[in-house]
């Protein structure tokens, strides 16, 4: 008999096909991912053993307590898991897994795109063309910031941060990073470690955020941190919006402290702070850094593999904690 699954997030047709082939699956019909109430209702009605979701589903202690006893595993199709209350899941004996490793390259590619587009005014140029161009642009007009050879600071040097660093090396950038612990030399690859985040900031022509969300990183980029950056720095965030104090970011963008920013993530999603949409010096994306067909398939398959492992009595491949 097939195991019972709630596929609570909208995903690729291939992931849906595999979910339906391998499981007795209730699949979200859209237009949006299932809410906590919808998941709880569907799980109870279906006596589901597993839920596949993504970071749109906030599984706090109340949501976890409301899930029926039949649910044995929750698999988030994301590497980030700040939307899950881990102590509550542990206490309830609900195994939780994520999808590390398969989205590093696409997320780092996207971070580079944001960095290049922000520094070199890609969105403004595109808008000029769509509006018909038809006027002279002088050699002193609409100038961007050179990327090649500059200094980039990376906040969070996990797999995605390191994949970003690898790409930045291709632009002859000097790499610096801050993380809770220093990496061994084979992973550092010459990057300069700063144990003190604030001590790194004055050296950052570019700053790229790759740290996880959650209380430990909440508003790490606040007014004081922005004030420490060089005048005209460029900020990239393809990690979590909560790392940034958005009022301080807005001030930095409008005062000229920052030349530009490339943002894929926001404190509130999808209802992001619309002040940013009015700024020319911001490149905006709707939390899509991992959104290539290959990567979204790989994330969904990994989540399904984790669910199958747990329900078959094997160890989870990517557990969010180890006993
Ligand atoms: C992740 O994997 O954490 C991405 O941000 C998608 O949620």
């Amino acid at each position: 008999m097939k195991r019972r699954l709630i596929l609570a997030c909208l995903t690729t047709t291939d992931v849906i096909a595999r979910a339906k082939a391998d499981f007795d699956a209730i699949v979200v019909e859209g237009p949006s991912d299932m809410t906590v109430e919808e998941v709880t209702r569907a799980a109870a009605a279906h006596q589901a053993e597993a839920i596949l979701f993504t970071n749109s589903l906030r599984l706090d202690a109340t949501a976890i307590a409301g899930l029926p006893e039949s649910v044995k595993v929750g698999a988030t199709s994301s590497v980030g898991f700040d939307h899950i209350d881990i102590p509550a899941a542990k206490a309830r004996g609900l195994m939780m897994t994520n999808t590390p490793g398969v989205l590093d390259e696409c997320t780092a590619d996207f971070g580079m795109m944001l960095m290049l587009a922000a520094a070199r005014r890609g969105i403004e140029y595109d808008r000029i063309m769509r509006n018909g161009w038809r006027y002279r642009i002088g050699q002193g007009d609409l100038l961007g910031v050179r990327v090649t050879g500059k200094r980039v600071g990376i906040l969070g040097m996990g797999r995605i941060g390191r994949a970003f660093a690898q790409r930045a090396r291709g632009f002859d950038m000097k790499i610096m990073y801050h993380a809770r612990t220093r990496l061994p030399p084979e992973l550092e690859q010459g990057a300069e470690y700063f144990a003190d985040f604030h001590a790194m900031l004055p050296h950052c022509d570019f700053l790229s955020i790759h740290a996880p969300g959650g209380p430990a990183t909440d508003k790490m980029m606040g007014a004081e941190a922005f004030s420490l950056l060089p005048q005209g720095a460029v900020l990239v965030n393809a990690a979590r919006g909560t790392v940034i104090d958005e009022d301080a970011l807005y001030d930095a963008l409008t005062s000229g402290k920052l030349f530009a920013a490339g943002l894929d993530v926001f404190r509130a999603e999808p209802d992001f702070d619309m002040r940013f949409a009015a700024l020319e010096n911001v490149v905006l994306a709707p939390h899509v850094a991992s959104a290539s067909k290959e990567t979204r398939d790989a994330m969904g398959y990994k989540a399904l593999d984790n669910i199958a492992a747990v329900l078959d009595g094997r160890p989870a491949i990517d557990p969010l904690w180890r006993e």
Side-chain angles (χ1 to χ4, degrees), residues 54-56 76-83 99-100 103 107 160 238-240 264-265 269 287-290 296 299:
T54 187
N55 62 316
S56 60
T76 181
S77 179
S78 65
V79 68
F81 51 87
D82 47 315
H83 50 297
T99 61
L103 49 83
T107 305
I160 298 172
R240 282 295 180 268
D264 182 44
V265 287
E269 296 177 4
H287 200 150
V288 286
S290 63
R296 286 288 164 87
M299 291 164 72

Side-chain angles (χ1 to χ4, degrees), residues 30 62 83 88 111 150 199 225:
T62 312
H83 50 297
K150 292 285 182 66

Side-chain angles (χ1 to χ4, degrees), residues 111 113-115 117-119 207 234-238 244 253 260-266 281-285:
M113 185 196 81
L114 290 176
M115 182 171 77
L207 177 68
V234 173
L235 173 84
V236 172
N237 190 4
I244 293 180
L253 282 162
L263 307 172
D264 182 44
V265 287
F266 303 86
N281 57 343
V282 190
V283 178
L284 298 167

Side-chain angles (χ1 to χ4, degrees), residues 36 39-40 51 53 57-69 71 74 83-96 321:
V36 168
V39 168
T40 308
I51 301 169
F53 58 99
L57 192 74
R58 179 146 298 282
L59 286 183
D60 59 16
T62 312
I64 287 172
L67 291 172
E69 279 302 311
V71 178
H83 50 297
I84 302 171
D85 186 324
I86 303 288
K90 261 186 182 173
R92 148 84 164 68
L94 178 61
M95 175 53 75
M96 290 281 179
W321 65 86

Side-chain angles (χ1 to χ4, degrees), residues 45-181:
H46 196 49
Q47 280 301 289
E49 296 157 281
I51 301 169
L52 197 165
F53 58 99
T54 187
N55 62 316
S56 60
L57 192 74
R58 179 146 298 282
L59 286 183
D60 59 16
T62 312
I64 287 172
L67 291 172
E69 279 302 311
S70 58
V71 178
K72 302 286 178 257
V73 52
T76 181
S77 179
S78 65
V79 68
F81 51 87
D82 47 315
H83 50 297
I84 302 171
D85 186 324
I86 303 288
K90 261 186 182 173
R92 148 84 164 68
L94 178 61
M95 175 53 75
M96 290 281 179
T97 66
N98 68 340
T99 61
V102 292
L103 49 83
D104 308 340
E105 309 303 335
C106 273
T107 305
D109 290 350
F110 201 86
M112 288 304 287
M113 185 196 81
L114 290 176
M115 182 171 77
L116 293 168
R120 299 300 310 276
R121 305 177 72 151
I123 303 299
E124 285 174 83
Y125 297 159
D126 181 80
R127 198 170 300 128
I128 287 169
M129 298 309 289
R130 287 172 202 278
N131 288 334
W133 188 13
R134 285 169 173 74
Y135 58 89
R136 290 293 309 164
I137 295 177
Q139 287 213 332
D141 296 333
L142 288 169
L143 300 180
V145 164
R146 179 184 167 106
V147 173
T148 296
K150 292 285 182 66
R151 304 166 298 176
V152 62
I154 297 177
L155 171 60
M157 199 62 153
R159 276 182 293 247
I160 298 172
R162 296 200 299 277
F164 183 89
Q166 184 193 348
R167 284 152 179 74
R169 282 185 196 98
F171 286 79
D172 290 333
M173 298 184 90
K174 174 181 163 50
I175 318 286
M176 302 161 292
Y177 73 100
H178 168 74
R180 268 175 311 174
T181 39

Side-chain angles (χ1 to χ4, degrees), residues 16-28:
I16 294 171
R18 218 193 98 185
K20 284 182 171 169
D22 293 358
F23 295 88
D24 174 4
I26 301 279
V27 178
V28 60

